[in-house]
Amino acid sequence: MAAAARPPLSTPAPEPAITLPGTTSLGHPIFTRVRLATPSDVPLLHKLIHQMAVFENLTHQFSATESSLSSTLFPSTTLQPFHSFTIFILDISLTPFTDTPNHTNPLYNPTEKVVNLDLPIEDPERDTFRVGNSDTFVAGFVLFFPNYPSFLAKPGFFVEDLFVRECYRRKGFGKMLFSAVAMQAVKMGYGRVECGVLDWNANAINFFEEMGAKKLHELRICRLTGEALQAYRGTD
Amino acid sequence: MAAAARPPLSTPAPEPAITLPGTTSLGHPIFTRVRLATPSDVPLLHKLIHQMAVFENLTHQFSATESSLSSTLFPSTTLQPFHSFTIFILDISLTPFTDTPNHTNPLYNPTEKVVNLDLPIEDPERDTFRVGNSDTFVAGFVLFFPNYPSFLAKPGFFVEDLFVRECYRRKGFGKMLFSAVAMQAVKMGYGRVECGVLDWNANAINFFEEMGAKKLHELRICRLTGEALQAYRGTD
């Protein structure tokens, strides 16, 4: 439940930068793609969600496993993307994407974009976040699902998680992911996109305000969970 | 997005109380039932949601019509209750419920309960909120839908609206509705029930705390809507 948009807190371990030979004078192009997640992304999603829990100092709430993510995000009864829990993945690559079969879905055409960076990105975890055996790496994700503002009488999207890995922050990638959700909302005639932010995360609040959202000052969330929720087992 | 749990602000218009003859010495029994809403409830739901907007001083956000509620809550492609937007209705009656065909759903057995009140309830709007031609009246509703706490990797429910009509408040009916949601969450193995409250609504916050929920002090909601959302039309 967060947006990790603040600058890196530590310097990445010194490893060779990923660079594209011969492009120094032209900047450093990076190929990006926003696509729907598939069950094969679960192991990487599990790592991303854990990184998010670390960032938010909420590892004590983290109990997700690859198995539980798989069964709830991709159950055997197919949940239709955008009508239930939905994840966009941000892929990056130093070369144009050539793999498509696993990433197409009739409900969403992946969005590709080339970004020219001033400096190459050093990704100390590129082998961990490599997609299969490809030269594609997962840089971030956004998890969202429909909500229902009854005053509007039309659905909206709630952005539960928006996360970009540390070395890819401050390059517009969070905006890409959030924009993809907002564009989908407009396309479907939905009335709102909402997201939760931690009040101490000024960078996240600034980010959403830059994206056009407003912080709701009056609204608070109450949560029933754990033993207090289990107390409702079989009661009336 | 609210829980209207505070006491009535004004005295109801003086109308004859609904009483059950011959029960004075035994108290005033009232038959209650929590059931899934059906498309035929839309006109009453529209009125209830409008009353909620008035209560919250948010009528400027209210644009729901019976038609828009109907098409979004009960679309032609059947949305499965509990896996999408779901509404429990609280029916009340002075006599045992005899109507069932319209209120049964294989996914949820209506929960009936008899409550003994010290005083009869005066319902100044009983004709407005009568269910069909029956002696059943709608006293309130709760609208909820799944959300997804990724750290838990299992769904929860988000309670968007919990509303009990003014003359029925402070009698435990809000608890009935909320408990029905919490029990369903436990039954489905879900990990949380969350709800939004307005920070000035101390009665609502007290209510949820009595139900076992905790107010999250750090969490805020950012909202993208209206023109700011429409700006994402066809952009990238």
Side-chain angles (χ1 to χ4, degrees), chain B residues 104-118:
Chain B
T104 57
N105 184 305
L107 288 168
Y108 187 76
N109 285 324
T111 310
E112 296 190 14
K113 198 170 177 180
V114 185
V115 178
N116 248 321
L117 300 176
D118 290 338

Side-chain angles (χ1 to χ4, degrees), chain A:
Chain A
M1 185 171 299
R6 70 180 179 187
L9 297 175
S10 60
T11 308
E15 288 201 20
I18 299 176
T19 55
L20 200 62
T23 57
T24 313
S25 61
L26 297 169
H28 298 268
I30 191 165
F31 296 82
T32 73
R33 175 172 61 190
V34 174
R35 62 174 171 87
L36 282 171
T38 69
S40 65
D41 293 309
V42 163
L44 294 189
L45 281 170
H46 183 255
K47 291 186 180 74
L48 290 167
I49 294 169
H50 186 262
Q51 285 199 348
M52 192 172 57
V54 171
F55 174 84
E56 295 188 320
N57 302 318
L58 292 175
T59 49
H60 57 286
Q61 290 184 15
F62 183 84
S63 58
T65 63
E66 290 186 19
S67 169
S68 60
L69 284 171
S70 185
S71 62
T72 51
L73 292 172
F74 303 99
S76 52
T77 54
T78 308
L79 296 176
Q80 205 181 359
F82 309 125
H83 293 273
S84 184
F85 316 131
T86 306
I87 296 173
F88 283 149
I89 295 268
L90 174 66
D91 286 334
I92 66 113
S93 174
L94 296 179
T95 53
F97 296 104
T98 52
D99 56 327
T100 53
N102 289 333
H103 302 138
T104 57
N105 185 306
L107 288 168
Y108 187 76
N109 285 324
T111 311
E112 296 189 15
K113 198 170 176 179
V114 184
V115 177
N116 248 321
L117 300 176
D118 290 337
L119 295 171
I121 292 174
E122 295 189 14
D123 183 351
E125 299 175 300
R126 63 176 181 267
D127 288 330
T128 305
F129 287 96
R130 187 187 296 272
V131 179
N133 294 317
S134 71
D135 285 330
T136 299
F137 308 91
V138 171
F141 78 105
V142 58
L143 188 158
F144 60 107
F145 43 77
N147 65 5
Y148 191 84
S150 48
F151 292 172
L152 301 183
K154 53 184 168 181
F157 281 136
F158 188 85
V159 174
E160 177 74 17
D161 302 319
L162 173 61
F163 185 77
V164 173
R165 285 170 52 219
E166 190 170 313
C167 63
Y168 293 103
R169 290 179 201 157
R170 301 177 71 83
K171 294 171 179 30
F173 295 149
K175 291 184 180 180
M176 272 185 204
L177 285 166
F178 184 83
S179 297
V181 178
M183 290 174 68
Q184 185 67 28
V186 174
K187 189 176 167 188
M188 295 175 74
Y190 282 13
R192 281 182 188 167
V193 176
E194 293 184 321
C195 33
V197 288
L198 295 171
D199 207 30
W200 54 258
N201 194 347
N203 282 289
I205 294 168
N206 288 342
F207 170 83
F208 287 120
E209 288 180 344
E210 283 174 19
M211 301 306 284
K214 292 201 186 318
K215 187 173 113 174
L216 304 180
H217 293 281
E218 286 192 330
L219 192 65
R220 295 292 180 279
I221 303 296
C222 292
R223 176 180 295 169
L224 174 67
T225 191
E227 286 305 308
L229 173 60
Q230 293 306 315
Y232 285 87
R233 182 184 303 276
T235 65
D236 64 352

